[in-house]
Amino acid sequence: MPNSTNKKNNNSIYILGIESSCDDTAAAVIKDGKIISNIVANQKIHEEYGGVVPELASRAHQQNIVPVVEMAIKKAKIDKNQVSAIAFTEGPGLLGSLLVGSSFAKSLSLALNIPLLSVHHMQAHILAHFIQDDEMKLPQFPFLALTISGGHTQIVQVNSYFDMTVLGETLDDAVGEAFDKSAKIMGLPYPGGPLIDQYAQSGNPKAFKFPKPKVKGMNFSFSGLKTSILYFIQKQTKENPSFIQENLADLSASIQYTIVNILMDKLEIAVEETNINRIAIAGGVSANSGIRQALLQAQKERSWQVYIPKFEFTTDNAAMIAIVGYLKYQEKQFSSLDVIPKARYKM
Ligand code: KG4
Ligand code: ZN
């Protein structure tokens, strides 16, 4: 495998990160732990289907990958020959999407004769906290990570960069799906999570009460909540066909309030059981204003130490892939060229 660890940059380490696990094609360059470019191409095509269509996602990645990587290198104001190594998402994700990013990363690493670094997508969401950025503080080990995205809902104990234990996870839908499916029931386009957040700003969170799941310990369940929202809205619209339009803000605020409460209840259990009160949030749903507010309140009232990433590092991005690449590069954890992307990939 190519293994010429690059010394031609006055000892600066430049890592090119590539992310293509779902419906965003992303590339970023990190210089010695600091992001110097971060490009994401969203795929609008899925909006009209109400969810990600895997085959369309792979095609769009094929279309986007070359310009996105070129743009990341151009914005970083470097030459591609200065890149020290290439990090890419190995999984979990959609296989067709992962294949585009991994094949491209392998080819470029061969062409430039530089090492390849494979990255776990969910580990990257967590390790995004170690991007050196003036607006973010670095968490101290050990800490708890609440990873909340469109595909995952986990509480993870993070002992060091690469020593992580999953303490609890969802038994059915991910929290992002709970947001997106609730939004769909209300007739909102995909992804509906950010829209619920937006409408919730002007609504009453206690206008409607939805039941919380009865799942023991640190595991989660969201499928029951989705069903109860569906039945409630069906019943109300039978009586008043304009129910959703007339109550969109209150419905959004109440759904968000319920979901945030479920997450906070589980975090409380985790803090109690582990005696760790440093909490970091990660993943697309950590952009949600409700969970951010609830955590900041807990920081004030319960002396938790809370770590909230910048918005650009919450939803899928390649900066988080590049930072893991940077950490692995320093430990010489290189990948071989026959590494295979994994749709399912345990942390
Ligand atoms: O991490 P991510 O970008 O992709 C996955 O790996 O899944 O997460 C996407 C999820 C979607 O379900 C989207 O609706 C949700 O994050 N999301 C939000 C917000 N922003 C993104 N959910 C609630 N409130 C938000 N502000
Ligand atoms: Zn993600």
Side-chain angles (χ1 to χ4, degrees), residues 91-140:
L94 300 170
L95 192 61
S97 292
L98 291 165
L99 279 166
V100 177
S102 59
S103 302
F104 187 87
K106 285 181 187 186
S107 311
L108 195 58
S109 101
L110 259 180
L112 298 174
N113 192 32
I114 52 175
L116 186 67
L117 303 146
S118 61
V119 173
H120 190 292
H121 181 87
M122 295 312 293
Q123 257 185 4
H125 271 302
I126 296 173
L127 295 176
H129 282 277
F130 293 93
I131 291 171
Q132 291 166 29
D133 188 291
D134 294 341
E135 290 173 40
M136 276 162 43
K137 47 181 184 165
L138 300 179
Q140 253 180 48

Side-chain angles (χ1 to χ4, degrees), residues 47-330:
E47 274 175 23
E48 56 193 280
Y49 294 93
V52 177
V53 184
E55 188 153 328
L56 295 179
S58 319
R59 275 198 231 174
H61 283 305
Q62 281 287 7
Q63 221 166 26
N64 294 341
I65 190 100
V66 173
V68 164
V69 169
E70 267 183 352
M71 179 73 82
I73 289 174
K74 190 173 163 207
K75 280 259 166 92
K77 295 195 174 67
I78 59 164
D79 183 90
K80 62 179 180 309
N81 288 307
Q82 285 177 272
V83 175
S84 316
I86 299 173
F88 73 98
T89 307
E90 184 180 356
L94 300 170
L95 192 61
S97 292
L98 291 165
L99 279 166
V100 177
S102 59
S103 302
F104 187 87
K106 285 181 187 186
S107 311
L108 195 58
S109 101
L110 259 180
L112 298 174
N113 192 32
I114 52 175
L116 186 67
L117 303 146
S118 61
V119 173
H120 190 292
H121 181 87
M122 295 312 293
Q123 257 185 4
H125 271 302
I126 296 173
L127 295 176
H129 282 277
F130 293 93
I131 291 171
Q132 291 166 29
D133 188 291
D134 294 341
E135 290 173 40
M136 276 162 43
K137 47 181 184 165
L138 300 179
Q140 253 180 48
F141 297 116
F143 64 91
L144 299 175
L146 176 68
T147 54
I148 39 181
S149 75
H152 294 85
T153 309
Q154 295 181 324
I155 297 180
V156 182
Q157 181 172 329
V158 186
N159 298 317
S160 65
Y161 294 135
F162 301 111
D163 175 7
M164 302 185 186
T165 310
V166 178
L167 301 178
E169 60 193 333
T170 184
L171 306 176
D172 41 58
D173 287 351
V175 61
E177 283 177 286
F179 271 107
D180 296 339
K181 288 179 179 175
S182 305
K184 196 173 178 182
I185 295 168
M186 295 193 288
L188 300 175
Y190 175 87
L195 294 171
I196 290 191
D197 193 357
Q198 203 180 309
Y199 289 118
Q201 303 301 320
S202 52
N204 172 8
K206 294 187 179 160
F208 306 107
K209 200 168 158 49
F210 298 110
K212 285 202 258 176
K214 294 185 181 63
V215 181
K216 285 212 180 96
M218 287 177 264
N219 286 334
F220 300 87
S221 165
F222 289 101
S223 64
L225 174 65
K226 173 197 65 193
T227 311
S228 73
I229 292 169
L230 176 68
Y231 289 165
F232 174 74
I233 289 183
Q234 277 177 344
K235 185 163 172 268
Q236 297 298 321
T237 37
K238 242 186 212 164
E239 290 162 21
N240 170 14
S242 323
F243 176 76
I244 295 175
Q245 290 91 311
E246 286 168 14
N247 295 281
L248 193 53
D250 283 350
L251 278 168
S252 298
S254 303
I255 292 168
Q256 181 161 306
Y257 179 76
T258 311
I259 293 176
V260 169
N261 267 335
I262 295 170
L263 297 173
M264 290 302 290
D265 285 354
K266 295 296 179 173
L267 270 181
E268 250 174 65
I269 298 173
V271 170
E272 208 166 289
E273 294 215 348
T274 60
N275 250 329
I276 298 170
N277 66 355
R278 285 180 292 275
I279 318 283
I281 48 170
V285 182
S286 61
N288 182 265
S289 64
I291 188 70
R292 286 175 173 235
Q293 273 163 21
L295 283 165
L296 290 173
Q297 201 171 337
Q299 177 157 271
K300 255 199 225 149
E301 291 170 3
R302 276 178 262 176
S303 69
W304 288 8
Q305 282 279 348
V306 169
Y307 303 89
I308 297 178
K310 264 168 88 171
F311 279 107
E312 62 193 282
F313 305 141
T314 56
T315 45
D316 285 349
N317 66 87
M320 67 184 197
I321 305 302
I323 185 69
V324 181
Y326 175 67
L327 297 169
K328 284 193 160 183
Y329 184 91
Q330 287 168 307

